[in-house]
């Protein structure tokens, strides 16, 4: 066993201020358990100011147990902090396995199955190839009102980096994740966020990577089967990726997605952010319960407050059995994306995609569900194109003012919106259960309201699902809208 109060590593405690240094670890294993009250790594606890850090065919087999106030914990590296460095570091991690469990109790911390935190680096390249975790990861916040903590199956937190590139290829999270009080949780990456000083942001790419275990998160804000929270990020790309397991989430004002919890650029420091998904699939069910609002999607929970954003989703599927969302305030639920809100000059293209999951939401207020998109709300001068898309899942919204559509739930307050749907097919029943609410239900779109200068085209579309409600005093039902 290796134990300590501050910096504890299975093989190396700290590597610091060695610019121009190349560090290589190959065919190395930590077999000892780790017990710590600070930064902890299964191999290296703390790392800064190196030019190259390369890992090949290494493993951590020791159980990691940490109790701390503020710390960074990883199965390979606890903390990478290049705040004082002038290096342009490169991290190459190949065939690393973290094959024992982790248990962390903390405040204001980041925990990752491979790397806990990557912080304040410039022109950094991080590559994970054939990297896996297995076992269980339990993480709890000691004080509920402490600063946000972040958890990821592979990487916990990437924060305040200029021109960082992350590539994850053929990697897998096999940790069953149990979190309590953690703000953001992701099956592969917990969060990536940048401040107004970091205008070049980060570019994230995930290829043939998968989350294979369930995420159970209490007191969370953002949860993604692959990636949790993305804030002021330049681009994220998912190709041939998959979330295979259930997300069970409770929290306040939550955003949950089978792939990405939330993509947000409220600072508008990224000129033209991009979200791209190709040939990827979610097969994990989602149970989300919020004390206030909730945005829940089979692929993405929320895409909001972006300027000039481009969203491209092709040949992808949501194969989950069900997505369920409960909230005391508004709920927005989509087979693909829960909510597009507050974006400007947005371009969205979804093609060759299908949703198979039954979608259900319940709220004391507004409840909106769409087979692909839950809501389009306050997106100015934007274009949304759906082509060759299918929904086969039942749509069941329940709230005091609710809408449900086979493809899109709600389209409201989008000035100068161009909306096009071609070769769209819905066979899922669109239905309500309450009898004393206002419902708008449609086989293609549930509700279209207050969109100045909207242009809408529905071409070669078909609905074979029943559209039914038993509402007193008012319901608006249509075969298409």
């Amino acid at each position: 066993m290796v134990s300590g109060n501050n910096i504890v590593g299975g093989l190396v405690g700290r590597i610091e201020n060695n610019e121009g240094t190349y560090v290589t670890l190959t065919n190395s294993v930590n077999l000892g358990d780790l017990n710590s009250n600070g930064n902890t790594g299964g191999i290296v606890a703390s790392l800064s100011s190196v030019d190259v850090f390369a890992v090949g065919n290494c493993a951590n087999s020791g159980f990691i147990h940490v109790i701390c106030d503020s710390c960074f914990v990883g199965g390979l590296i606890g903390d990478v902090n290049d705040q004082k460095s002038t290096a342009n570091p490169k991290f190459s991690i190949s065939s690393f396995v973290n094959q024992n469990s982790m248990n962390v109790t903390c405040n204001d911390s980041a925990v990752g199955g491979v790397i806990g935190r990557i912080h304040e680096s410039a022109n950094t390249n991080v590559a994970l190839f054939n990297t896996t975790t297995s076992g269980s990861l339990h993480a709890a916040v000691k004080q509920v009102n402490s600063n946000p903590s972040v958890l990821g199956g592979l990487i916990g937190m990437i924060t305040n980096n200029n021109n960082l590139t992350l590539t994850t290829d053929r990697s897998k999270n096999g940790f069953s994740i149990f979190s309590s009080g953690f703000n953001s949780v992701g099956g592969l990456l917990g969060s990536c966020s940048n401040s107004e000083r970091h205008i070049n942001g980060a570019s994230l790419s995930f290829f043939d990577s998968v989350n294979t275990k369930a995420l159970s998160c209490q007191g969370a804000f953002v949860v993604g089967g692959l990636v949790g929270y993305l804030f002021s990020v330049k681009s994220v790309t998912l190709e041939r990726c998959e979330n295979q397991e259930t997300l069970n989430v409770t929290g306040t004002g939550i955003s949950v997605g089978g792939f990405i919890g939330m993509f947000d650029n409220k600072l508008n420091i990224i000129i033209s952010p991009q979200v791209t998904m190709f040939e990827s699939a979610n097969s994990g069910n989602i149970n989300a319960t919020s004390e206030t609002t909730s945005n829940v999607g089979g692929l993405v929970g929320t895409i909001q407050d972006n300027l000039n954003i481009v969203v491209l989703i092709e040949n992808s599927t949501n194969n989950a059995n069900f997505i369920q969302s409960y909230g005391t305030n508004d709920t927005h639920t989509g087979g693909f994306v829960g909510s597009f809100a507050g974006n400007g000059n947005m371009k969205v293209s979804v093609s060759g995609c299908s949703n198979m999951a039954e979608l259900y939401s319940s709220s004391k207020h507004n409840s909106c569900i769409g087979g692909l998109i839950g809501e389009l709300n306050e997106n100015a001068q934007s274009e949304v194109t759906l082509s060759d898309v299918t929904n086969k899942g039942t749509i069941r919204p329940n709230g005091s003012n609710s809408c449900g559509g086979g493809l899109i739930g709600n389209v409201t307050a989008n000035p100068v919106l161009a909306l096009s749907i071609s070769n769209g097919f819905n066979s899922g029943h669109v239905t309500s259960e309450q009898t004393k609410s206002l419902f708008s239900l449609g086989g293609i779109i549930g509700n279209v309201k207050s969109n100045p200068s909207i242009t809408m085209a529905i071409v070669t579309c078909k609905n074979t699902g029943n559209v039914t409600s038993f509402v007193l005093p008012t319901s608006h039902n249509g075969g298409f809208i």
Side-chain angles (χ1 to χ4, degrees):
M1 174 182 286
V2 181
S3 62
N5 289 324
N6 190 9
I7 296 175
V8 175
L11 299 183
V12 180
R14 173 186 287 172
I15 300 174
E16 184 177 18
N17 297 332
N18 293 285
E19 301 210 11
T21 300
Y22 286 51
V23 178
T24 302
L25 297 172
T26 57
N27 302 317
S28 300
V29 179
N30 171 51
L31 299 174
D33 294 342
L34 306 178
N35 195 342
S36 171
N37 301 119
N39 289 357
T40 306
I43 303 297
V44 180
S46 183
L47 181 67
S48 68
S49 302
V50 299
D51 280 24
V52 175
F53 184 83
V55 174
N57 196 32
C58 293
N60 172 59
S61 297
F63 174 73
I64 297 175
H65 180 257
V66 179
I67 300 175
C68 67
D69 286 327
S70 178
C71 64
F72 308 102
V73 181
L76 172 65
I77 305 170
D79 187 31
V80 178
N81 188 345
D82 283 327
Q83 188 172 9
K84 299 179 181 180
S85 174
T86 60
N88 299 322
K90 296 181 179 179
F91 297 87
S92 175
I93 300 167
S94 177
S95 301
F96 173 78
V97 180
N98 185 11
Q99 54 194 13
N100 206 328
S101 297
M102 302 172 65
N103 193 318
V104 181
T105 304
C106 60
N107 290 321
D108 187 18
S109 299
V111 180
V114 179
I115 301 174
R117 181 182 74 158
I118 301 173
H119 179 64
E120 289 278 5
S121 61
N123 303 315
T124 302
N125 186 290
V126 181
L128 276 65
F129 175 76
N130 193 31
T131 294
T132 63
T133 60
S134 63
S136 63
L137 200 169
H138 293 256
V141 169
K142 292 193 289 185
Q143 296 177 349
V144 175
N145 295 323
S146 66
N147 290 329
S149 292
V150 177
L151 171 65
L154 297 183
I155 300 175
M157 173 192 294
I158 299 173
T159 180
N160 292 345
N161 297 278
N162 256 326
N163 197 31
L164 177 140
T165 300
L166 169 69
T167 303
T168 302
D169 190 357
R170 281 170 275 185
S171 294
K172 178 181 71 174
N173 173 54
F175 272 144
S176 297
I177 293 177
F178 304 88
S179 72
S180 176
F182 272 67
N183 184 268
S184 179
V185 180
L188 302 182
L189 170 64
S191 76
C192 180
S193 62
N194 296 288
S195 72
E196 63 274 7
R197 295 185 295 110
H198 303 89
I199 60 174
N200 292 318
S203 299
L204 314 175
S205 298
F206 299 86
F207 304 107
D208 300 291
S209 295
V210 60
N211 173 55
T212 65
K213 296 295 183 179
L215 278 60
S216 299
C217 309
Q218 296 180 348
F221 172 60
V222 180
V223 176
L226 301 181
V227 180
Y229 185 37
L230 299 179
F231 182 75
S232 295
V233 168
K234 188 185 304 182
S235 67
V236 58
T237 299
L238 303 173
E239 293 191 18
R240 300 175 303 278
C241 292
E242 186 175 3
N243 173 52
Q244 296 179 348
E245 268 295 349
T246 299
L247 309 181
N248 292 303
V249 183
T250 62
T252 300
I254 62 175
S255 184
V256 182
F259 290 167
I260 300 171
M262 178 183 291
F263 190 97
D264 182 2
N265 186 24
K266 192 172 295 184
L267 296 176
N268 284 324
I269 60 173
I270 305 300
I271 296 174
S272 183
Q274 297 183 8
V275 177
T276 305
M277 302 179 187
F278 294 126
E279 298 178 354
S280 295
N282 173 59
S283 53
N285 300 327
I286 299 176
N287 292 292
T289 302
S290 174
E291 295 179 8
T292 54
T293 61
S294 68
N295 295 327
V296 180
L299 303 189
V300 185
T302 308
I303 297 177
Q304 69 177 23
D305 296 330
N306 297 277
L307 187 62
N308 305 317
I309 186 172
V310 177
V311 179
L312 179 62
I313 305 175
E314 292 185 357
N315 301 324
S316 296
T317 58
N318 178 27
N319 294 320
N321 292 322
F322 62 84
I323 295 176
Q324 299 182 147
S325 176
Y326 303 88
T328 58
N329 209 323
D330 297 350
T331 62
H332 309 106
T333 307
F336 271 42
V337 180
S339 174
F340 287 98
N343 301 288
N345 195 31
M346 173 180 72
K347 291 181 172 58
V348 177
S349 174
V350 181
S351 62
C353 294
S354 61
N355 171 62
M356 311 299 289
E358 176 180 334
L359 306 176
Y360 174 82
S361 72
S362 178
S363 170
K364 294 181 181 179
H365 295 279
N366 300 325
S367 175
C368 295
I369 301 180
L372 294 182
I373 298 171
E375 73 156 356
L376 294 166
N377 183 45
E378 297 184 349
N379 302 287
Q381 297 181 324
S382 296
E383 300 176 9
V384 177
T385 302
L386 309 181
S387 59
D388 301 305
V389 293
T390 301
N391 173 61
K392 295 185 178 181
T394 300
I395 308 295
R396 294 192 298 139
N398 284 282
S400 61
N401 187 356
S402 299
C403 52
L407 298 181
I408 302 176
N410 187 37
V411 182
T412 302
N414 300 279
V416 196
L417 173 68
L419 175 60
S420 172
I421 304 175
S422 61
N423 296 320
F425 175 64
N426 174 60
S427 61
H429 299 318
V430 183
T431 184
S432 66
E433 295 177 352
Q434 295 190 13
T435 59
K436 294 183 180 181
S437 300
L438 174 63
F439 278 86
S440 299
L441 306 177
I444 301 298
I445 303 175
N447 183 52
V448 180
K449 182 180 179 181
S450 303
N451 298 280
S453 303
I454 187 173
T455 302
M456 187 164 59
I458 299 176
V459 181
T460 322
C461 292
K462 184 178 182 180
N463 171 52
T464 61
N466 296 330
V467 180
T468 57
S469 64
F470 306 95
V471 177
L472 298 174
T474 305
S475 65
H476 306 100
N477 299 345
F480 270 22
I481 300 175

